[in-house]
Amino acid sequence: MQLTHVRTHPFVASRLAAGLLELHAWVYDIKSGTIKAYDSESGYFREITRAKGNAEFPKGNCPIHDHAD
């Protein structure tokens, strides 16, 4: 719901349309220590897991991007 709402703001909408912005949604469960990231393909939140010291994010939903200039 919050992602849907924030997409309606003109500043955000224009940058999304231009491909200059990506939005990500995470849910933190303090009690269990888990973090879930929203998977836009399935419409569900999926737990972020670690493998060999690197975080694995749902496809297309990595919050860290390596931009080469």
Side-chain angles (χ1 to χ4, degrees):
M1 182 104 151
Q2 291 176 346
L3 280 179
T4 302
H5 177 71
V6 77
R7 285 185 178 116
T8 66
H9 292 275
F11 178 87
V12 174
S14 66
R15 276 141 187 91
L16 285 171
L20 300 172
L21 179 68
E22 293 183 16
L23 298 177
H24 304 277
W26 287 12
V27 173
Y28 302 93
D29 184 329
I30 295 171
K31 184 176 181 178
S32 70
T34 60
I35 302 171
K36 294 182 179 181
Y38 183 71
D39 181 349
S40 58
E41 290 182 12
S42 70
Y44 294 98
F45 283 88
R46 292 181 37 200
E47 186 173 337
I48 296 173
T49 60
R50 289 199 164 264
K52 298 180 184 176
N54 296 314
E56 294 180 0
F57 299 95
K59 183 179 177 182
N61 289 303
C62 181
I64 303 168
H65 301 281
D66 183 17
H67 297 284
D69 294 333

